[in-house]
Amino acid sequence: AAAGRRLGRHLAPVRWTALRGAGLADAADRLGAEIAAGRMSDVDYARIRRAWDSVQADPARFTAFAESVRAKGAAACLHPSGDRDLPVRAARHDLVVRQVRLGTVTDGERNPWARRGTGLALDPEVLGTSLLAVGPPGAGKTARLVRPVVESLALQALAGQAAVVAVGAAGTRLGPDEAYDVVVRVGDRAGGHDLDLYGGTTDPDEAATVLAEGFVGDVPGIDVRRAATALAQLLGPFRAAYGRFPGVPELRELLDQVPAALTALREELRAAGQHAMLRELDARERQYGAHGDPAPLLADRVALLDRPAFAGSFDTTGQNRMFSPSFLEHPLRVRVDLPERGHADASRMLARLLLAQFTHSAAARADRSLFAFLALDDATATLTPQTVRGVQRLRSVHAGVLLTLRTLEDVPEALRTPLLGAVGCRMAFAGVTTWDGRRFAEAWGTEWVETRDVTSRDVYADQAFTRMVNTFRKLVTGKAVTTDAVTVRKVERERWSASDLAHAVPPGCAVLSLTTTRGERAAPLLVELTGA
């Protein structure tokens, strides 16, 4: 209620002129009364503005919008969850401009004079170019960056403007369960939703491509395309026979060429007259065990999920509710908890799979009006050549990702430079190593600065009297008479050197550079972060 009253005073001048111009004076009066009475929150205002924008795009929604506003006032056009706000806010938000405040630009010589002491905030315009944050454990990546950004996009989801997926280890403080529409707890039967390993697609080739990227995309020397072909040779026949994709135990048996599983599948295909799929299955059997066959490695990776702890977590029979990034066309708030403590390898594989699914699904959306965002609280071992290319393409499809790393050493060496080039926003927290700092220094480049060199030289006078005076001054002071020569020149220097990033960034601060989706750039700034 207090937030609503504050918003009422802030938006008191709002007259809803667009609604009045469209003949909805009574609806505008109703909304004005809601603001004056303090019953309209910032989420309500942003949601109704978003609904009106959708009416402008699709006039068929005009009648439904008008009736909803007349009947419900500030509660019109509610999010499907019925929520009008989050249970708790840990950061400062401005939903009118869709920004979340991260901190304050420090008042130091490192920062441009015009920016010193100003606030720094993020919005979809910069998050749409994706953000990479690197810092040691305890630097504040989760509390000072991930949590505020996820919270901001969750509020925008309630306003019908965004869809957000937050991925972290179980126990990571990314907000209460009540702040999300979907909570996926992998390995916890009480989680409510299962994770769809196949990304919500019904195309075996598409499912195999993304699945191969998640399962073996991090293995050096493995041809991911060949792994995708091997998976497609099994997923296609299985779906043709049973009308669904295989569960984890079934997929492991097929990859291991268990005779009973293959015989049962072959009989089903014969009964259905699926001769083309029988040829696919025959081709897979011929290739099994050949040099370079990826099936054994795929089976080993699937075995990480074929554990009693994960029983029922990846159901494909339709008995449980499933989540996949293909739902990004809806304003969803999703949190995925990974069992990092007891199943680290499986957790990293699932995080890699989610990143691959997200980059694929975001680009495949028919409706891109919602801003789609994925926050990976720990992106260790999740990046592959294909996902790095996918991240780079997100800015053109109204989507973005937030990736945090303890060190760039957690990324294959061949991908470190492409990763820094793929993201538009880069953030180095206090405590980064000098070798990580060197990568950031190279990415941020150099700038021209003006330097002043002062040199002193002895004065040799031509006049006898002047020489006598100078000699007397030297006897009195003990110093020779000198004159200063000042040289002013411009030199090219690194914006931030590796040593400065490693040793000159105070605790609780970070160096952050931003790029908008329009290509506008902001030089790296030293920012004092606000704790969540």
Side-chain angles (χ1 to χ4, degrees), residues 439-480:
R439 296 279 184 176
F440 278 98
E442 292 173 354
W444 283 327
T446 59
E447 62 180 346
W448 289 97
V449 296
E450 190 176 87
T451 62
R452 294 168 58 89
D453 296 328
V454 181
T455 57
S456 298
R457 61 181 181 86
D458 293 341
V459 175
Y460 298 97
D462 295 330
Q463 302 282 336
F465 178 77
T466 305
R467 283 198 302 271
M468 182 181 67
V469 171
N470 290 345
T471 302
F472 178 75
R473 288 176 59 185
K474 183 176 182 180
L475 288 173
V476 173
T477 63
K479 298 179 181 179

mmCIF file of all heavy atoms in Angstrom, residues 439-480:
data_model
loop_
_atom_site.group_PDB
_atom_site.id
_atom_site.type_symbol
_atom_site.label_atom_id
_atom_site.label_comp_id
_atom_site.label_asym_id
_atom_site.label_seq_id
_atom_site.Cartn_x
_atom_site.Cartn_y
_atom_site.Cartn_z
ATOM 1 N N ARG A 439 42.931 -10.236 -20.167
ATOM 2 C CA ARG A 439 41.892 -10.445 -21.192
ATOM 3 C C ARG A 439 40.931 -9.256 -21.248
ATOM 4 O O ARG A 439 40.542 -8.785 -22.326
ATOM 5 C CB ARG A 439 41.124 -11.729 -20.894
ATOM 6 C CG ARG A 439 41.960 -12.996 -20.981
ATOM 7 C CD ARG A 439 42.115 -13.432 -22.412
ATOM 8 N NE ARG A 439 42.829 -14.709 -22.503
ATOM 9 C CZ ARG A 439 43.035 -15.365 -23.625
ATOM 10 N NH1 ARG A 439 42.574 -14.852 -24.753
ATOM 11 N NH2 ARG A 439 43.690 -16.501 -23.631
ATOM 12 N N PHE A 440 40.521 -8.769 -20.073
ATOM 13 C CA PHE A 440 39.619 -7.616 -20.049
ATOM 14 C C PHE A 440 40.312 -6.378 -20.598
ATOM 15 O O PHE A 440 39.709 -5.577 -21.321
ATOM 16 C CB PHE A 440 39.133 -7.365 -18.619
ATOM 17 C CG PHE A 440 37.980 -8.228 -18.205
ATOM 18 C CD1 PHE A 440 38.183 -9.379 -17.471
ATOM 19 C CD2 PHE A 440 36.683 -7.890 -18.544
ATOM 20 C CE1 PHE A 440 37.127 -10.180 -17.085
ATOM 21 C CE2 PHE A 440 35.610 -8.670 -18.165
ATOM 22 C CZ PHE A 440 35.834 -9.828 -17.434
ATOM 23 N N ALA A 441 41.580 -6.192 -20.234
ATOM 24 C CA ALA A 441 42.317 -5.025 -20.725
ATOM 25 C C ALA A 441 42.400 -5.035 -22.244
ATOM 26 O O ALA A 441 42.265 -3.992 -22.899
ATOM 27 C CB ALA A 441 43.721 -5.007 -20.112
ATOM 28 N N GLU A 442 42.613 -6.204 -22.821
ATOM 29 C CA GLU A 442 42.659 -6.306 -24.280
ATOM 30 C C GLU A 442 41.299 -6.013 -24.891
ATOM 31 O O GLU A 442 41.195 -5.364 -25.941
ATOM 32 C CB GLU A 442 43.133 -7.696 -24.686
ATOM 33 C CG GLU A 442 44.600 -7.990 -24.343
ATOM 34 C CD GLU A 442 44.973 -9.428 -24.608
ATOM 35 O OE1 GLU A 442 44.051 -10.223 -24.953
ATOM 36 O OE2 GLU A 442 46.156 -9.775 -24.485
ATOM 37 N N ALA A 443 40.237 -6.494 -24.239
ATOM 38 C CA ALA A 443 38.887 -6.267 -24.768
ATOM 39 C C ALA A 443 38.504 -4.791 -24.691
ATOM 40 O O ALA A 443 37.820 -4.271 -25.587
ATOM 41 C CB ALA A 443 37.873 -7.116 -23.998
ATOM 42 N N TRP A 444 38.924 -4.088 -23.647
ATOM 43 C CA TRP A 444 38.565 -2.686 -23.480
ATOM 44 C C TRP A 444 39.464 -1.749 -24.277
ATOM 45 O O TRP A 444 39.139 -0.575 -24.454
ATOM 46 C CB TRP A 444 38.583 -2.313 -21.996
ATOM 47 C CG TRP A 444 37.371 -2.815 -21.273
ATOM 48 C CD1 TRP A 444 36.123 -2.946 -21.795
ATOM 49 C CD2 TRP A 444 37.292 -3.259 -19.916
ATOM 50 N NE1 TRP A 444 35.255 -3.440 -20.847
ATOM 51 C CE2 TRP A 444 35.949 -3.643 -19.675
ATOM 52 C CE3 TRP A 444 38.204 -3.380 -18.874
ATOM 53 C CZ2 TRP A 444 35.523 -4.126 -18.448
ATOM 54 C CZ3 TRP A 444 37.778 -3.854 -17.657
ATOM 55 C CH2 TRP A 444 36.449 -4.225 -17.441
ATOM 56 N N GLY A 445 40.611 -2.242 -24.713
ATOM 57 C CA GLY A 445 41.454 -1.455 -25.599
ATOM 58 C C GLY A 445 42.151 -0.291 -24.916
ATOM 59 O O GLY A 445 42.339 -0.265 -23.699
ATOM 60 N N THR A 446 42.525 0.689 -25.720
ATOM 61 C CA THR A 446 43.306 1.828 -25.248
ATOM 62 C C THR A 446 42.557 3.125 -25.507
ATOM 63 O O THR A 446 41.537 3.163 -26.200
ATOM 64 C CB THR A 446 44.673 1.875 -25.959
ATOM 65 O OG1 THR A 446 44.454 1.983 -27.376
ATOM 66 C CG2 THR A 446 45.491 0.627 -25.669
ATOM 67 N N GLU A 447 43.096 4.211 -24.943
ATOM 68 C CA GLU A 447 42.543 5.541 -25.158
ATOM 69 C C GLU A 447 43.698 6.545 -25.187
ATOM 70 O O GLU A 447 44.782 6.288 -24.644
ATOM 71 C CB GLU A 447 41.550 5.910 -24.058
ATOM 72 C CG GLU A 447 42.164 5.967 -22.682
ATOM 73 C CD GLU A 447 41.160 6.323 -21.610
ATOM 74 O OE1 GLU A 447 40.048 6.782 -21.966
ATOM 75 O OE2 GLU A 447 41.474 6.146 -20.419
ATOM 76 N N TRP A 448 43.456 7.683 -25.805
ATOM 77 C CA TRP A 448 44.465 8.738 -25.854
ATOM 78 C C TRP A 448 44.333 9.612 -24.615
ATOM 79 O O TRP A 448 43.246 10.098 -24.294
ATOM 80 C CB TRP A 448 44.296 9.582 -27.106
ATOM 81 C CG TRP A 448 44.690 8.868 -28.362
ATOM 82 C CD1 TRP A 448 43.857 8.222 -29.215
ATOM 83 C CD2 TRP A 448 46.012 8.716 -28.869
ATOM 84 N NE1 TRP A 448 44.577 7.667 -30.242
ATOM 85 C CE2 TRP A 448 45.912 7.956 -30.063
ATOM 86 C CE3 TRP A 448 47.273 9.144 -28.461
ATOM 87 C CZ2 TRP A 448 47.011 7.617 -30.817
ATOM 88 C CZ3 TRP A 448 48.381 8.807 -29.219
ATOM 89 C CH2 TRP A 448 48.245 8.061 -30.390
ATOM 90 N N VAL A 449 45.460 9.812 -23.923
ATOM 91 C CA VAL A 449 45.470 10.655 -22.731
ATOM 92 C C VAL A 449 46.581 11.683 -22.877
ATOM 93 O O VAL A 449 47.570 11.476 -23.579
ATOM 94 C CB VAL A 449 45.684 9.830 -21.444
ATOM 95 C CG1 VAL A 449 44.531 8.865 -21.224
ATOM 96 C CG2 VAL A 449 47.002 9.078 -21.485
ATOM 97 N N GLU A 450 46.397 12.811 -22.208
ATOM 98 C CA GLU A 450 47.378 13.898 -22.252
ATOM 99 C C GLU A 450 48.323 13.777 -21.063
ATOM 100 O O GLU A 450 47.879 13.668 -19.915
ATOM 101 C CB GLU A 450 46.668 15.244 -22.217
ATOM 102 C CG GLU A 450 47.580 16.425 -22.494
ATOM 103 C CD GLU A 450 46.810 17.728 -22.553
ATOM 104 O OE1 GLU A 450 46.617 18.332 -21.474
ATOM 105 O OE2 GLU A 450 46.372 18.118 -23.650
ATOM 106 N N THR A 451 49.624 13.764 -21.318
ATOM 107 C CA THR A 451 50.610 13.651 -20.250
ATOM 108 C C THR A 451 51.486 14.907 -20.228
ATOM 109 O O THR A 451 51.682 15.571 -21.248
ATOM 110 C CB THR A 451 51.511 12.420 -20.458
ATOM 111 O OG1 THR A 451 52.245 12.564 -21.683
ATOM 112 C CG2 THR A 451 50.679 11.152 -20.513
ATOM 113 N N ARG A 452 52.019 15.211 -19.058
ATOM 114 C CA ARG A 452 52.903 16.359 -18.864
ATOM 115 C C ARG A 452 54.220 15.837 -18.303
ATOM 116 O O ARG A 452 54.255 15.243 -17.225
ATOM 117 C CB ARG A 452 52.285 17.371 -17.896
ATOM 118 C CG ARG A 452 51.031 18.030 -18.439
ATOM 119 C CD ARG A 452 50.311 18.796 -17.322
ATOM 120 N NE ARG A 452 51.151 19.812 -16.709
ATOM 121 C CZ ARG A 452 51.257 21.068 -17.118
ATOM 122 N NH1 ARG A 452 50.538 21.466 -18.176
ATOM 123 N NH2 ARG A 452 52.035 21.933 -16.506
ATOM 124 N N ASP A 453 55.302 16.063 -19.028
ATOM 125 C CA ASP A 453 56.641 15.688 -18.583
ATOM 126 C C ASP A 453 57.398 16.950 -18.185
ATOM 127 O O ASP A 453 57.505 17.908 -18.975
ATOM 128 C CB ASP A 453 57.401 14.965 -19.696
ATOM 129 C CG ASP A 453 56.746 13.644 -20.065
ATOM 130 O OD1 ASP A 453 56.155 13.022 -19.165
ATOM 131 O OD2 ASP A 453 56.811 13.257 -21.243
ATOM 132 N N VAL A 454 57.904 16.969 -16.962
ATOM 133 C CA VAL A 454 58.628 18.122 -16.439
ATOM 134 C C VAL A 454 60.089 17.737 -16.252
ATOM 135 O O VAL A 454 60.398 16.758 -15.556
ATOM 136 C CB VAL A 454 58.029 18.605 -15.107
ATOM 137 C CG1 VAL A 454 58.798 19.823 -14.599
ATOM 138 C CG2 VAL A 454 56.553 18.936 -15.274
ATOM 139 N N THR A 455 60.993 18.469 -16.871
ATOM 140 C CA THR A 455 62.428 18.231 -16.720
ATOM 141 C C THR A 455 63.097 19.490 -16.189
ATOM 142 O O THR A 455 62.696 20.618 -16.520
ATOM 143 C CB THR A 455 63.057 17.844 -18.066
ATOM 144 O OG1 THR A 455 62.804 18.884 -19.020
ATOM 145 C CG2 THR A 455 62.471 16.531 -18.578
ATOM 146 N N SER A 456 64.102 19.317 -15.360
ATOM 147 C CA SER A 456 64.836 20.442 -14.765
ATOM 148 C C SER A 456 66.260 20.461 -15.325
ATOM 149 O O SER A 456 66.884 19.405 -15.493
ATOM 150 C CB SER A 456 64.881 20.307 -13.238
ATOM 151 O OG SER A 456 63.576 20.348 -12.697
ATOM 152 N N ARG A 457 66.789 21.660 -15.583
ATOM 153 C CA ARG A 457 68.170 21.803 -16.064
ATOM 154 C C ARG A 457 68.812 23.022 -15.417
ATOM 155 O O ARG A 457 68.128 23.985 -15.050
ATOM 156 C CB ARG A 457 68.214 21.939 -17.589
ATOM 157 C CG ARG A 457 67.494 23.128 -18.157
ATOM 158 C CD ARG A 457 67.565 23.156 -19.667
ATOM 159 N NE ARG A 457 66.881 24.321 -20.208
ATOM 160 C CZ ARG A 457 67.448 25.513 -20.361
ATOM 161 N NH1 ARG A 457 68.712 25.697 -19.970
ATOM 162 N NH2 ARG A 457 66.770 26.525 -20.878
ATOM 163 N N ASP A 458 70.107 22.945 -15.258
ATOM 164 C CA ASP A 458 70.842 24.057 -14.651
ATOM 165 C C ASP A 458 70.826 25.273 -15.579
ATOM 166 O O ASP A 458 70.845 25.154 -16.810
ATOM 167 C CB ASP A 458 72.291 23.652 -14.383
ATOM 168 C CG ASP A 458 72.377 22.586 -13.304
ATOM 169 O OD1 ASP A 458 71.396 22.447 -12.558
ATOM 170 O OD2 ASP A 458 73.400 21.880 -13.234
ATOM 171 N N VAL A 459 70.800 26.440 -14.964
ATOM 172 C CA VAL A 459 70.788 27.698 -15.706
ATOM 173 C C VAL A 459 72.228 28.201 -15.835
ATOM 174 O O VAL A 459 72.943 28.358 -14.825
ATOM 175 C CB VAL A 459 69.919 28.753 -14.998
ATOM 176 C CG1 VAL A 459 70.026 30.100 -15.726
ATOM 177 C CG2 VAL A 459 68.485 28.283 -14.933
ATOM 178 N N TYR A 460 72.671 28.432 -17.075
ATOM 179 C CA TYR A 460 74.001 29.001 -17.346
ATOM 180 C C TYR A 460 73.804 30.405 -17.927
ATOM 181 O O TYR A 460 73.307 30.559 -19.052
ATOM 182 C CB TYR A 460 74.788 28.120 -18.311
ATOM 183 C CG TYR A 460 75.054 26.738 -17.761
ATOM 184 C CD1 TYR A 460 74.241 25.667 -18.108
ATOM 185 C CD2 TYR A 460 76.123 26.516 -16.893
ATOM 186 C CE1 TYR A 460 74.475 24.409 -17.590
ATOM 187 C CE2 TYR A 460 76.382 25.256 -16.379
ATOM 188 C CZ TYR A 460 75.551 24.206 -16.730
ATOM 189 O OH TYR A 460 75.785 22.964 -16.211
ATOM 190 N N ALA A 461 74.150 31.389 -17.136
ATOM 191 C CA ALA A 461 73.896 32.779 -17.538
ATOM 192 C C ALA A 461 75.043 33.307 -18.398
ATOM 193 O O ALA A 461 76.209 32.963 -18.200
ATOM 194 C CB ALA A 461 73.719 33.659 -16.307
ATOM 195 N N ASP A 462 74.713 34.193 -19.342
ATOM 196 C CA ASP A 462 75.715 34.847 -20.180
ATOM 197 C C ASP A 462 76.279 36.101 -19.505
ATOM 198 O O ASP A 462 77.443 36.480 -19.720
ATOM 199 C CB ASP A 462 75.121 35.217 -21.535
ATOM 200 C CG ASP A 462 74.722 33.978 -22.335
ATOM 201 O OD1 ASP A 462 75.370 32.926 -22.147
ATOM 202 O OD2 ASP A 462 73.757 34.073 -23.134
ATOM 203 N N GLN A 463 75.447 36.764 -18.717
ATOM 204 C CA GLN A 463 75.851 37.992 -18.060
ATOM 205 C C GLN A 463 76.694 37.687 -16.825
ATOM 206 O O GLN A 463 76.385 36.788 -16.052
ATOM 207 C CB GLN A 463 74.613 38.797 -17.646
ATOM 208 C CG GLN A 463 73.685 39.152 -18.795
ATOM 209 C CD GLN A 463 74.210 40.307 -19.605
ATOM 210 O OE1 GLN A 463 75.001 41.127 -19.094
ATOM 211 N NE2 GLN A 463 73.802 40.383 -20.864
ATOM 212 N N ALA A 464 77.735 38.478 -16.626
ATOM 213 C CA ALA A 464 78.617 38.257 -15.470
ATOM 214 C C ALA A 464 77.879 38.492 -14.163
ATOM 215 O O ALA A 464 78.050 37.746 -13.184
ATOM 216 C CB ALA A 464 79.845 39.192 -15.563
ATOM 217 N N PHE A 465 77.045 39.557 -14.156
ATOM 218 C CA PHE A 465 76.295 39.846 -12.930
ATOM 219 C C PHE A 465 75.336 38.701 -12.579
ATOM 220 O O PHE A 465 75.217 38.304 -11.428
ATOM 221 C CB PHE A 465 75.527 41.165 -13.097
ATOM 222 C CG PHE A 465 74.689 41.503 -11.909
ATOM 223 C CD1 PHE A 465 75.271 42.020 -10.745
ATOM 224 C CD2 PHE A 465 73.314 41.324 -11.944
ATOM 225 C CE1 PHE A 465 74.498 42.329 -9.646
ATOM 226 C CE2 PHE A 465 72.543 41.630 -10.845
ATOM 227 C CZ PHE A 465 73.131 42.140 -9.688
ATOM 228 N N THR A 466 74.675 38.175 -13.613
ATOM 229 C CA THR A 466 73.719 37.074 -13.387
ATOM 230 C C THR A 466 74.448 35.840 -12.887
ATOM 231 O O THR A 466 73.961 35.131 -11.986
ATOM 232 C CB THR A 466 72.943 36.745 -14.677
ATOM 233 O OG1 THR A 466 72.314 37.923 -15.157
ATOM 234 C CG2 THR A 466 71.896 35.695 -14.430
ATOM 235 N N ARG A 467 75.657 35.576 -13.455
ATOM 236 C CA ARG A 467 76.414 34.422 -12.973
ATOM 237 C C ARG A 467 76.805 34.603 -11.512
ATOM 238 O O ARG A 467 76.777 33.650 -10.726
ATOM 239 C CB ARG A 467 77.662 34.237 -13.834
ATOM 240 C CG ARG A 467 77.381 33.617 -15.184
ATOM 241 C CD ARG A 467 78.664 33.063 -15.802
ATOM 242 N NE ARG A 467 79.692 34.094 -15.959
ATOM 243 C CZ ARG A 467 79.823 34.852 -17.023
ATOM 244 N NH1 ARG A 467 78.982 34.701 -18.036
ATOM 245 N NH2 ARG A 467 80.787 35.756 -17.085
ATOM 246 N N MET A 468 77.130 35.834 -11.126
ATOM 247 C CA MET A 468 77.494 36.101 -9.741
ATOM 248 C C MET A 468 76.310 35.876 -8.800
ATOM 249 O O MET A 468 76.436 35.279 -7.720
ATOM 250 C CB MET A 468 78.001 37.542 -9.617
ATOM 251 C CG MET A 468 78.455 37.912 -8.203
ATOM 252 S SD MET A 468 79.000 39.628 -8.111
ATOM 253 C CE MET A 468 77.439 40.478 -8.397
ATOM 254 N N VAL A 469 75.121 36.353 -9.230
ATOM 255 C CA VAL A 469 73.917 36.168 -8.407
ATOM 256 C C VAL A 469 73.595 34.681 -8.257
ATOM 257 O O VAL A 469 73.270 34.194 -7.165
ATOM 258 C CB VAL A 469 72.725 36.930 -9.009
ATOM 259 C CG1 VAL A 469 71.432 36.568 -8.289
ATOM 260 C CG2 VAL A 469 72.965 38.428 -8.952
ATOM 261 N N ASN A 470 73.693 33.936 -9.343
ATOM 262 C CA ASN A 470 73.389 32.498 -9.285
ATOM 263 C C ASN A 470 74.374 31.759 -8.395
ATOM 264 O O ASN A 470 74.015 30.841 -7.650
ATOM 265 C CB ASN A 470 73.401 31.895 -10.696
ATOM 266 C CG ASN A 470 72.226 32.361 -11.527
ATOM 267 O OD1 ASN A 470 71.261 32.912 -10.990
ATOM 268 N ND2 ASN A 470 72.291 32.161 -12.839
ATOM 269 N N THR A 471 75.668 32.183 -8.470
ATOM 270 C CA THR A 471 76.671 31.558 -7.618
ATOM 271 C C THR A 471 76.377 31.839 -6.153
ATOM 272 O O THR A 471 76.493 30.952 -5.291
ATOM 273 C CB THR A 471 78.067 32.069 -7.991
ATOM 274 O OG1 THR A 471 78.331 31.797 -9.364
ATOM 275 C CG2 THR A 471 79.150 31.413 -7.133
ATOM 276 N N PHE A 472 75.957 33.078 -5.857
ATOM 277 C CA PHE A 472 75.621 33.427 -4.478
ATOM 278 C C PHE A 472 74.425 32.602 -3.978
ATOM 279 O O PHE A 472 74.413 32.114 -2.851
ATOM 280 C CB PHE A 472 75.316 34.931 -4.393
ATOM 281 C CG PHE A 472 74.925 35.373 -3.032
ATOM 282 C CD1 PHE A 472 75.875 35.500 -2.015
ATOM 283 C CD2 PHE A 472 73.594 35.658 -2.732
ATOM 284 C CE1 PHE A 472 75.494 35.895 -0.750
ATOM 285 C CE2 PHE A 472 73.224 36.047 -1.480
ATOM 286 C CZ PHE A 472 74.173 36.178 -0.476
ATOM 287 N N ARG A 473 73.399 32.441 -4.839
ATOM 288 C CA ARG A 473 72.203 31.652 -4.451
ATOM 289 C C ARG A 473 72.576 30.199 -4.184
ATOM 290 O O ARG A 473 72.063 29.557 -3.271
ATOM 291 C CB ARG A 473 71.140 31.726 -5.556
ATOM 292 C CG ARG A 473 70.456 33.077 -5.657
ATOM 293 C CD ARG A 473 69.488 33.108 -6.819
ATOM 294 N NE ARG A 473 68.457 32.089 -6.685
ATOM 295 C CZ ARG A 473 67.529 31.837 -7.617
ATOM 296 N NH1 ARG A 473 67.537 32.558 -8.742
ATOM 297 N NH2 ARG A 473 66.634 30.900 -7.421
ATOM 298 N N LYS A 474 73.509 29.688 -4.983
ATOM 299 C CA LYS A 474 73.927 28.300 -4.778
ATOM 300 C C LYS A 474 74.665 28.144 -3.459
ATOM 301 O O LYS A 474 74.514 27.137 -2.748
ATOM 302 C CB LYS A 474 74.796 27.861 -5.948
ATOM 303 C CG LYS A 474 75.218 26.395 -5.872
ATOM 304 C CD LYS A 474 75.995 25.987 -7.109
ATOM 305 C CE LYS A 474 76.374 24.500 -7.026
ATOM 306 N NZ LYS A 474 77.142 24.063 -8.222
ATOM 307 N N LEU A 475 75.502 29.185 -3.102
ATOM 308 C CA LEU A 475 76.209 29.115 -1.828
ATOM 309 C C LEU A 475 75.244 29.171 -0.649
ATOM 310 O O LEU A 475 75.428 28.504 0.369
ATOM 311 C CB LEU A 475 77.211 30.275 -1.743
ATOM 312 C CG LEU A 475 78.450 30.171 -2.652
ATOM 313 C CD1 LEU A 475 79.262 31.450 -2.584
ATOM 314 C CD2 LEU A 475 79.297 28.967 -2.253
ATOM 315 N N VAL A 476 74.194 29.976 -0.789
ATOM 316 C CA VAL A 476 73.227 30.137 0.308
ATOM 317 C C VAL A 476 72.319 28.917 0.441
ATOM 318 O O VAL A 476 72.089 28.392 1.531
ATOM 319 C CB VAL A 476 72.401 31.412 0.112
ATOM 320 C CG1 VAL A 476 71.278 31.487 1.146
ATOM 321 C CG2 VAL A 476 73.296 32.643 0.194
ATOM 322 N N THR A 477 71.772 28.442 -0.679
ATOM 323 C CA THR A 477 70.780 27.346 -0.646
ATOM 324 C C THR A 477 71.404 25.964 -0.756
ATOM 325 O O THR A 477 70.783 24.963 -0.404
ATOM 326 C CB THR A 477 69.759 27.513 -1.783
ATOM 327 O OG1 THR A 477 70.446 27.419 -3.041
ATOM 328 C CG2 THR A 477 69.062 28.863 -1.679
ATOM 329 N N GLY A 478 72.573 25.890 -1.292
ATOM 330 C CA GLY A 478 73.204 24.587 -1.502
ATOM 331 C C GLY A 478 72.706 23.881 -2.727
ATOM 332 O O GLY A 478 73.045 22.710 -2.946
ATOM 333 N N LYS A 479 71.891 24.548 -3.531
ATOM 334 C CA LYS A 479 71.330 23.943 -4.738
ATOM 335 C C LYS A 479 71.638 24.829 -5.938
ATOM 336 O O LYS A 479 71.611 26.060 -5.833
ATOM 337 C CB LYS A 479 69.810 23.764 -4.629
ATOM 338 C CG LYS A 479 69.392 22.834 -3.509
ATOM 339 C CD LYS A 479 67.881 22.725 -3.456
ATOM 340 C CE LYS A 479 67.433 21.805 -2.328
ATOM 341 N NZ LYS A 479 65.953 21.714 -2.257
ATOM 342 N N ALA A 480 71.868 24.140 -7.055
ATOM 343 C CA ALA A 480 72.100 24.887 -8.278
ATOM 344 C C ALA A 480 70.817 25.530 -8.765
ATOM 345 O O ALA A 480 69.708 25.025 -8.530
ATOM 346 C CB ALA A 480 72.662 23.960 -9.359
#
